[in-house]
Amino acid sequence: MPRKYPLEKVRDIGIIAHIDAGKTTFTERVLFYTGISHKIGEVHKGEAIMDWMAQERERGITITSAATTCFWKDCRINIIDTPGHVDFTVEVERSLRVLDGAVVVFDGKMGVEPQSETVWHQADKYKVPRICFVNKMDKSGADFKSALASIRERLTSDAIACAIPIGEQESFEGMVDLFKMKAIYNEEKQGEKVVEKDIPEYLEKQAEKYRQEMVEKIVEQDDALMEKYLSGKKIFEEDLKKTLRKGVLEYKIIPVFCGSALKNKGVQVILDAICDFLPAPADVLPVKGINPKTSKEEERKADDDQPLSALAFKVVSDPFAGTLTYFRVYSGTLKAGSYILNVSSDTKERVGRILRMHADKREEVEEVYTGDIGAFVGLKNTSTGDTLCDPDYPIVLENITFPNPVISVAAEPATKVDQEKMGIALKKLSEEDPTFKIRTDQETNQTIISGMGELHLEIIVDRMRREFNVEVKVGKPQVAYKETIKAVSDAEGKYIRQSGGHGQYGHVWLKLEPRQRSEGFEFVDAIKGGVVPQEFIPAVEKGVKETMEKGVIAGYPVVDLKVTLYDGSYHEVDSSEAAFQIAGSKAFQAAFKRATPILLEPVMKIETTTPEKYMGDIIGDLNSRRCHIDKMHDRASIKVIDGRVPLASMFGYATALRSLSSGRANYTMEFDSYKEVPRSEAEKIMGEFKSKDEERNK
């Protein structure tokens, strides 16, 4: 069956922003104006189509990315609405990996906020062309000029205004289209009708100034157009838009528009911009991957006639359909009932049903084409990041990398009946969310769940109760500390046992060296002359790795060091893999203790916004939490405090901040880096570990 929409008219885009910038409200208007919904769902009333989870509707925030498809003019737009809260950054990461373009939404009063920067850099990583929408221009304190300045200062100097507001705050009425040099207004009850009028007289000079800036930036992208502009000839709207599109696709220009999604103003202008400036699948570079048979790099062009290649970017447990696997098709086509190869797990799977998703609603389709985003029902061996392709033309696409969890809690079933159900629920939730990890503490036999923040784990526990009917008791939050070293050291490890018959003999010398943060672990085999036989070297590495996982000084995983095996000896009869594994572990522990061991803790980037009258108390409280304040500045009528603070000091901060500011201050926090724990704190943590260890050994 031929495709209904030509490939050049398809747009795969994401809506990304800081929490509370109005992404979901914007997406709801898009669905209404494109005819997908017949009533605008309001986030504050818990009616938003894209916030379909019960937890999203109760809290008024987006937790999981939702996919939908809509149609505008002659374009088909596949949209993913992503969360803004940093605890759910995994959703933004995996969505951006499979999207071709993005609309970045900003709050007209707040401008660039911390999570705006995070999602912007995620989009940079995947080279996603984007356009900006300065939302909430009707809000008290909204200032387009200042929001545009913050985008240029903190994100990119390539941002240019393509529209400016007519009035601001309570007097916001519409916007000036700098291409047409016309005033654009939305009329009728829900802004369905877009009307063009003359620019108000008081705005003419300002509009002319912004237009000149825009035209100069655009003509820089094309020599012929630049020549035309310099010779004073008229530049037509069509030429400007065509050249701007080229600049957007090459990441050289970021167009900025404005409006108010809640007041139904400016959304249709963005829909036009999505069709005019953001790429079709064929406009982006061919996707590259490795052929597993030849280990050579290959590429797949965005073309229905190419062999099938697709990426599974999300796995969801659906109570009605079972397992849903969201995917993006990069090349080729796929019919329901055909077979695909999952190269990552090396298994063939039959595609039963293919769904096109509309948030939690679904529509069954017979065939998907290049550029489509859909969901398979019931794939058994596919997880997030797996490549799905034509069995005759295997290819492995680049996987998606996810951040490591920073916070853990102990989870226990409330009753014996919940015991088995809890295991099933945790397994399903961890398959859905790669930043949610589960492990069993060997000493206490407790189940430890880890995630990206307190809210992340709170939502997981809530989902277990609602979706899986499992009551869970959780312990106090624990910080994911790490252990590492600051100095070079070496040590000997010997394991000798005689017990009649064969004994055990393993003997090694290891050298430990520190590495830079986030460089990870490296094991080097520097054995010469066979003093340790080749077959025992993997056993030494295994012993080292097992010890690193358990920790040496405080029971936390060891990171960022280089271990070199450079000497040792063996016994022709008594040596074994087990003996060398134990010898490797002993040598590692001894060398680690001599290498100035330290503890590392997750440090968070924090931004606190507050009215001026509470600023002193809030700074005092942050200082007491070991916060390093980077800068303080004004944003509209509020004070902003930027800093870095250890996660361990921040439990319960939301409650403390509310009481210090009568509920008027807010904060956002995101992971920044791992830093050394101060000596006094480290001694306390190591002391607790030692006393627990002694108790266990009694």
Side-chain angles (χ1 to χ4, degrees), residues 386-651:
D386 285 0
T387 300
L388 308 168
C389 64
D390 185 324
D392 297 328
Y393 299 93
I395 189 170
V396 183
L397 304 177
E398 185 192 344
N399 207 327
I400 312 170
T401 51
F402 298 108
N404 290 319
V406 294
I407 183 172
S408 306
V409 294
E412 290 176 9
T415 65
K416 276 198 170 171
V417 180
D418 290 317
Q419 179 85 49
E420 194 180 327
K421 287 198 292 185
M422 185 177 100
I424 295 164
L426 288 175
K427 184 174 182 289
K428 285 194 172 178
L429 290 167
S430 67
E431 283 169 0
E432 282 186 24
D433 184 349
T435 58
F436 173 58
K437 305 283 185 196
I438 316 151
R439 66 180 172 86
T440 304
D441 188 305
Q442 298 302 325
E443 281 84 13
T444 62
N445 217 21
Q446 281 181 308
T447 300
I448 307 295
I449 59 174
S450 308
M452 298 305 294
E454 286 180 279
L455 179 62
H456 186 196
L457 294 182
E458 200 181 302
I459 296 291
I460 291 281
V461 170
D462 194 32
R463 285 187 65 192
M464 285 168 72
R465 183 170 57 81
R466 293 187 198 218
E467 293 172 33
F468 300 94
N469 204 21
V470 181
E471 288 297 332
V472 176
K473 293 189 286 189
V474 294
K476 279 171 66 180
Q478 297 172 317
V479 177
Y481 292 104
K482 309 276 187 205
E483 299 179 14
T484 193
I485 56 172
K486 288 175 83 173
V488 177
S489 75
D490 57 2
E492 179 183 31
K494 250 184 189 176
Y495 182 67
I496 302 171
R497 283 281 182 278
Q498 285 304 134
S499 53
H502 279 319
Q504 294 283 353
Y505 184 95
H507 174 221
V508 295
W509 278 91
L510 296 181
K511 180 184 178 184
L512 271 57
E513 298 167 76
R515 300 185 82 196
Q516 294 296 316
R517 287 295 156 268
S518 305
E519 278 192 359
F521 165 67
E522 184 186 2
F523 183 83
V524 178
D525 167 14
I527 291 294
K528 289 191 173 75
V531 289
V532 174
Q534 200 63 37
E535 65 265 27
F536 297 135
I537 290 170
V540 178
E541 185 176 356
K542 190 179 177 190
V544 167
K545 281 183 173 172
E546 281 182 1
T547 312
M548 285 175 68
E549 280 169 27
K550 291 177 188 166
V552 180
I553 54 170
Y556 293 103
V558 174
V559 295
D560 301 335
L561 51 73
K562 178 180 173 183
V563 175
T564 305
L565 170 62
Y566 67 92
D567 202 1
S569 62
Y570 72 103
H571 187 282
E572 283 192 4
V573 177
D574 292 349
S575 283
S576 67
E577 286 187 8
F580 272 97
Q581 191 174 325
I582 295 167
S585 173
K586 284 183 158 193
F588 180 81
Q589 288 182 59
F592 191 88
K593 286 172 184 172
R594 292 180 197 164
T596 320
I598 56 166
L599 276 179
L600 300 173
E601 63 183 343
V603 171
M604 314 300 281
K605 202 157 47 165
I606 184 170
E607 180 186 271
T608 305
T609 54
T610 174
E612 190 171 3
K613 65 189 280 192
Y614 307 112
M615 196 162 168
D617 291 342
I618 287 170
I619 288 172
D621 181 62
L622 284 170
N623 286 334
S624 73
R625 295 172 187 271
R626 295 193 284 133
C627 179
H628 173 79
I629 292 169
D630 294 329
K631 65 172 181 175
M632 292 177 276
H633 55 101
D634 294 340
R635 185 183 292 153
S637 57
I638 55 169
K639 297 286 179 187
V640 182
I641 305 159
D642 289 326
R644 283 170 174 73
V645 63
L647 176 63
S649 313
M650 293 306 286
F651 297 128

Side-chain angles (χ1 to χ4, degrees), residues 332-390:
T333 62
L334 178 68
K335 283 185 178 172
S338 54
Y339 281 87
I340 52 171
L341 172 68
N342 179 336
V343 197
S344 311
S345 62
D346 197 23
T347 52
K348 264 190 187 179
E349 299 216 50
R350 185 177 178 274
V351 174
R353 293 162 62 209
I354 304 174
L355 305 178
R356 183 164 291 137
M357 303 302 294
H358 298 288
D360 62 335
K361 305 283 188 295
R362 47 188 76 86
E363 165 200 349
E364 199 159 330
V365 292
E366 281 304 305
E367 192 170 5
V368 282
Y369 305 91
T370 299
D372 280 356
I373 290 173
F376 295 129
V377 179
L379 294 192
K380 291 182 177 63
N381 301 305
T382 303
S383 53
T384 300
D386 285 0
T387 300
L388 308 168
C389 64
D390 185 324

Side-chain angles (χ1 to χ4, degrees), residues 51 56 82 126 284 288 311 319 352 381 432 445 507 565 584 618 659 678:
D51 283 351
E56 295 179 312
T82 65
Y126 293 114
V284 295
K288 290 183 179 176
L311 190 77
N381 301 305
E432 282 186 24
N445 217 21
H507 174 221
L565 170 62
I618 287 170
S659 67

Side-chain angles (χ1 to χ4, degrees), residues 159-170:
I160 57 161
C162 293
I164 60 169
I166 300 170
E168 279 178 356
Q169 303 175 43
E170 308 80 46

Side-chain angles (χ1 to χ4, degrees), residues 3-12 70-78 245 274-276 278-283 370-371:
R3 58 157 71 235
K4 287 180 184 172
Y5 276 76
L7 191 60
E8 62 271 17
K9 294 296 181 186
V10 173
R11 302 286 181 271
D12 290 330
C70 60
F71 306 90
W72 182 250
K73 296 189 175 169
D74 58 351
C75 282
R76 171 185 171 153
I77 306 171
N78 300 316
R245 185 167 204 274
I274 289 168
C275 297
D276 290 343
L278 289 181
D283 293 321
T370 299

Side-chain angles (χ1 to χ4, degrees), residues 182-451:
K182 288 282 184 187
I184 308 288
Y185 298 95
N186 288 78
E187 293 182 354
E188 294 184 6
K189 191 182 172 189
Q190 290 174 314
E192 303 96 315
K193 192 177 177 187
V194 180
V195 178
E196 287 182 16
K197 294 183 182 175
D198 288 337
I199 299 170
E201 210 173 299
Y202 76 93
L203 260 181
E204 282 176 355
K205 276 187 182 169
Q206 195 183 343
E208 197 53 61
K209 178 177 161 287
Y210 273 104
R211 177 181 162 84
Q212 195 173 336
E213 258 181 48
M214 178 188 83
V215 172
E216 282 174 5
K217 185 77 178 172
I218 293 172
V219 298
E220 281 174 17
Q221 313 304 315
D222 186 282
D223 292 343
L225 209 59
M226 173 69 95
E227 207 174 297
K228 201 173 174 184
Y229 174 72
L230 292 174
S231 61
K233 289 179 184 169
K234 187 180 177 186
I235 310 279
F236 293 102
E237 182 190 337
E238 193 183 312
D239 292 333
L240 282 174
K241 285 189 171 178
K242 193 170 142 194
T243 310
L244 175 57
R245 185 167 204 274
K246 179 174 168 272
V248 170
L249 299 190
E250 292 171 357
Y251 325 111
K252 289 178 179 171
I253 304 185
I254 310 285
V256 181
F257 297 88
C258 60
S260 166
L262 188 64
K263 292 286 159 60
N264 310 315
K265 295 182 192 300
V267 176
Q268 291 97 325
V269 174
I270 292 291
L271 281 166
D272 287 342
I274 289 168
C275 297
D276 290 343
F277 308 126
L278 289 181
D283 293 321
V284 295
L285 292 169
V287 68
K288 290 183 179 176
I290 302 295
N291 183 325
K293 291 178 180 173
T294 63
S295 299
K296 287 183 179 170
E297 189 176 79
E298 289 185 6
E299 57 179 45
R300 297 278 187 270
K301 288 180 185 165
D303 190 328
D304 291 344
D305 296 329
Q306 288 265 305
L308 173 75
S309 68
L311 190 77
F313 66 93
K314 183 172 174 172
V315 178
V316 175
S317 295
D318 186 281
F320 306 108
T323 303
L324 287 181
T325 306
Y326 283 72
F327 63 90
R328 152 78 194 261
V329 182
Y330 283 99
S331 64
T333 62
L334 178 68
K335 283 185 178 172
S338 54
Y339 281 87
I340 52 171
L341 172 68
N342 179 336
V343 197
S344 311
S345 62
D346 197 23
T347 52
K348 264 190 187 179
E349 299 216 50
R350 185 177 178 274
V351 174
R353 293 162 62 209
I354 304 174
L355 305 178
R356 183 164 291 137
M357 303 302 294
H358 298 288
D360 62 335
K361 305 283 188 295
R362 47 188 76 86
E363 165 200 349
E364 199 159 330
V365 292
E366 281 304 305
E367 192 170 5
V368 282
Y369 305 91
T370 299
D372 280 356
I373 290 173
F376 295 129
V377 179
L379 294 192
K380 291 182 177 63
N381 301 305
T382 303
S383 53
T384 300
D386 285 0
T387 300
L388 308 168
C389 64
D390 185 324
D392 297 328
Y393 299 93
I395 189 170
V396 183
L397 304 177
E398 185 192 344
N399 207 327
I400 312 170
T401 51
F402 298 108
N404 290 319
V406 294
I407 183 172
S408 306
V409 294
E412 290 176 9
T415 65
K416 276 198 170 171
V417 180
D418 290 317
Q419 179 85 49
E420 194 180 327
K421 287 198 292 185
M422 185 177 100
I424 295 164
L426 288 175
K427 184 174 182 289
K428 285 194 172 178
L429 290 167
S430 67
E431 283 169 0
E432 282 186 24
D433 184 349
T435 58
F436 173 58
K437 305 283 185 196
I438 316 151
R439 66 180 172 86
T440 304
D441 188 305
Q442 298 302 325
E443 281 84 13
T444 62
N445 217 21
Q446 281 181 308
T447 300
I448 307 295
I449 59 174
S450 308

Side-chain angles (χ1 to χ4, degrees), residues 49-67:
I49 293 166
M50 299 301 271
D51 283 351
W52 54 271
M53 284 172 71
Q55 294 90 335
E56 295 179 312
R57 294 189 163 180
E58 284 166 13
R59 295 163 194 261
I61 62 168
T62 302
I63 291 167
T64 181
S65 54

